[in-house]
Amino acid sequence: MNNSVEERFKEIVKEVCDSLSIEIFAIECDKDHTHMFLNALPPLSPSDIMAKIKGVSSKILREEFPYLLIFPVCGHVLISCRREMFLAKKLNDM
């Protein structure tokens, strides 16, 4: 994965988690996905947390790394962090 994209992604996740009072135990990025161990209050479901993280990080990463939008994936513009990270890795390997 492109290190600058990965580092920025981790910063964004930390900002989102801080705003929601979520504790991050660990976050690790692979070439096309991320593993996170989080501690959150019961009203926040895992899907709610991930929707917020994916929504915010996707918007910011596409603004800060516009080359991530150049290549369509499965006929659609990149719509998730996972695809953006995968694409960043592919671009970095070129």
Side-chain angles (χ1 to χ4, degrees):
M1 177 187 301
N2 184 319
N3 285 337
S4 58
V5 175
E6 178 180 341
E7 290 306 312
R8 185 62 180 124
F9 172 75
K10 288 179 179 181
E11 290 171 7
I12 294 166
V13 170
K14 183 174 181 345
E15 292 168 10
V16 171
C17 288
D18 286 347
S19 72
L20 297 172
S21 299
I22 297 171
E23 183 179 2
I24 301 173
F25 288 115
I27 179 170
E28 291 299 327
C29 298
D30 201 352
K31 61 185 171 189
D32 67 347
H33 64 278
T34 300
H35 292 273
M36 290 182 244
F37 293 94
L38 309 173
N39 183 22
L41 297 172
L44 295 171
S45 71
S47 61
D48 291 339
I49 294 167
M50 291 316 302
K52 184 69 171 177
I53 290 172
K54 286 177 69 173
V56 171
S57 63
S58 179
K59 180 181 184 304
I60 293 172
L61 289 175
R62 283 189 271 157
E63 289 172 356
E64 294 181 9
F65 300 92
Y67 62 86
L68 295 175
L69 288 173
I70 295 171
F71 301 96
V73 177
C74 300
H76 300 282
V77 174
L78 299 173
I79 57 170
S80 73
C81 301
R82 178 179 180 176
R83 289 188 182 133
E84 288 170 357
M85 288 182 201
F86 176 75
L87 182 55
K89 168 70 170 132
K90 289 291 187 191
L91 290 173
N92 196 38
D93 290 344
M94 291 181 166

